[in-house]
Amino acid sequence: MFVAFSIITTTLISIVTPVQAGEVNVYSARKEALIKPLLDKFSNETGVKVNLVTGSADALITRMQNEGQFSPVDILITTDAGRLVRAKNAGLTQAVVSADIDNIVPQNLRDTDHHWFGLTLRARPIMYAPDKADVNGLSSILDLAKPKYKGQVCIRSSGNIYNQSMIAALTIELGEEAVEKWAKGLVANMARSPKGGDRDQIKAVAAGQCSIAVANTYYLAGMLSSDDASEREQASKVKVLWTDQNSFGTHVNISGAAVAKHAPNAEAAKQLLAYMLLPSSQQWYAQENHEYPVHKDVPWSELMQGFGEFNAQSVSLDAVGEGNADALRLMDRAGWK
């Protein structure tokens, strides 16, 4: 696969040797079905019991803050580097220094102080209706501000952290002035006021409410593999366009994990973190969740391969997370609701 990062293959033997059987407490922003099978496999192989609590990412971080030093959580699993940075800055995480982990997770997909690490990669390209959108000359996310796309673009609100991180990453690449000018053009081209999640943007394209959307690929893959025939039909009407392939690459983010500062079972938490980066675990993520593994030797799911290879943006997600608040203010100035 052609992506803009490389990693060194390693084995993690030094940190996945069995610890004394015990337990580990997990707060996960991933839905239970998207994480529990892997946690059960970890328990079966190590004898370590996993106690799982799921909830919204922001609610779990707030819960950790409220619980303070008495929190039972050992490891936080959540989506988007912005949330992991938020947890770190709130003093909720601790450093895990491991050459094995550093050799598997690319530098731009982990915290510079070793507080959090990417588990999977998420890409955010353009999606379009091939029978409605004129994509001739559309090669960059920046092209969505061109007058020719007026009334054609669907995208989530400025309150969505995926968009905040995308804007923060663009600002690192291009500077605040250029990105704010672009954001104003994008707002002018929106087919409707932002609403709903990524699947709603894809469905809006399929329904003809807009011809172009910006969304994460795993949502499209999830719809294509859905048990719901109507979702499969909607997704089949949408194609993926990889942006900025001759410049800075398509925006990417992560799902990731961090060991809690006051983890009562810190060694088991570190063992679980390492386990989730093993090739077998990465393979499960790729096939079941349709996200891109951070381990370079693990193949993508068949659906993701069908979207094509791409050149990924390589800016530091640590810097992206730190820039989310400024990105939101920029979007507010641009009129992005």
Side-chain angles (χ1 to χ4, degrees):
M1 312 308 176
F2 178 44
V3 290
F5 55 82
S6 62
I7 48 184
I8 302 169
T9 305
T10 189
T11 58
L12 291 181
I13 298 234
S14 63
I15 54 176
V16 296
T17 50
V19 297
Q20 183 177 356
E23 63 181 11
V24 60
N25 302 311
V26 176
Y27 284 2
S28 174
R30 307 302 303 265
K31 293 181 179 179
E32 184 172 317
L34 300 181
I35 189 66
K36 193 173 185 301
L38 183 61
L39 300 180
D40 288 344
K41 190 168 180 284
F42 169 76
S43 292
N44 291 336
E45 293 182 15
T46 64
V48 177
K49 179 184 178 182
V50 178
N51 303 309
L52 176 64
V53 173
T54 60
S56 73
D58 294 333
L60 290 174
I61 291 173
T62 299
R63 177 172 176 168
M64 290 174 69
Q65 289 177 301
N66 292 338
E67 291 170 340
Q69 63 180 316
F70 302 108
S71 177
V73 65
D74 294 304
I75 190 166
L76 172 68
I77 300 172
T78 190
T79 55
D80 199 280
R83 292 189 175 108
L84 291 160
V85 168
R86 188 181 306 165
K88 177 195 173 186
N89 289 346
L92 301 176
T93 60
Q94 63 173 273
V96 176
V97 180
S98 166
D100 290 321
I101 291 178
D102 287 352
N103 283 336
I104 283 197
V105 183
Q107 186 174 3
N108 67 307
L109 304 182
R110 53 182 162 88
D111 176 50
T112 55
D113 297 321
H114 306 279
H115 276 245
W116 54 261
F117 303 87
L119 299 175
T120 62
L121 195 70
R122 303 164 146 217
R124 197 164 183 77
I126 286 173
M127 298 183 187
Y128 67 99
D131 59 337
K132 296 181 178 68
D134 178 8
V135 296
N136 183 37
L138 177 58
S139 63
S140 170
I141 192 75
L142 303 176
D143 292 333
L144 294 184
K146 290 181 176 179
K148 69 179 290 187
Y149 297 114
K150 188 173 182 62
Q152 295 189 49
V153 181
C154 283
I155 192 167
R156 289 171 79 159
S157 75
S158 61
N160 172 245
I161 198 165
Y162 302 158
N163 284 337
Q164 292 168 18
S165 290
M166 182 179 71
I167 295 302
L170 279 175
T171 301
I172 293 170
E173 299 279 11
L174 303 171
E176 186 176 281
E177 183 178 351
V179 175
E180 186 171 340
K181 180 180 179 181
W182 168 78
K184 289 177 179 177
L186 177 69
V187 169
N189 286 347
M190 290 181 183
R192 62 182 188 182
S193 182
K195 61 180 179 179
D198 277 17
R199 287 184 186 233
D200 296 303
Q201 314 314 312
I202 296 168
K203 291 175 180 179
V205 171
Q209 297 173 20
C210 45
S211 60
I212 297 169
V214 178
N216 288 353
T217 49
Y218 64 87
Y219 286 110
L220 180 61
M223 292 174 68
L224 287 168
S225 59
S226 173
D227 293 332
D228 186 333
S230 64
E231 278 204 342
R232 296 196 302 272
E233 181 181 3
Q234 290 166 325
S236 69
K237 298 178 180 179
V238 176
K239 301 296 182 184
V240 172
L241 189 154
W242 296 109
T243 57
D244 302 288
Q245 294 303 279
N246 296 318
S247 55
F248 48 78
T250 298
H251 175 64
V252 293
N253 212 296
I254 56 168
S255 70
V259 175
K261 180 178 181 179
H262 302 292
N265 306 289
E267 291 308 310
K270 294 172 185 177
Q271 186 185 20
L272 176 57
L273 174 61
Y275 185 87
M276 290 188 288
L277 290 167
L278 290 174
S280 58
S281 301
Q282 292 278 294
Q283 181 73 49
W284 181 85
Y285 267 121
Q287 298 302 321
E288 298 300 322
N289 294 349
H290 300 297
E291 297 181 27
Y292 298 101
V294 297
H295 198 302
K296 75 178 182 68
D297 294 329
V298 175
W300 302 351
S301 73
E302 185 175 347
L303 274 175
M304 301 303 265
Q305 290 181 42
F307 297 154
E309 299 176 356
F310 68 100
N311 180 17
Q313 195 174 28
S314 59
V315 297
S316 166
L317 292 186
D318 194 5
V320 167
E322 294 287 355
N324 272 25
D326 288 337
L328 180 56
R329 285 188 283 269
L330 182 154
M331 296 161 85
D332 286 343
R333 294 194 299 271
W336 191 331
K337 297 180 179 179

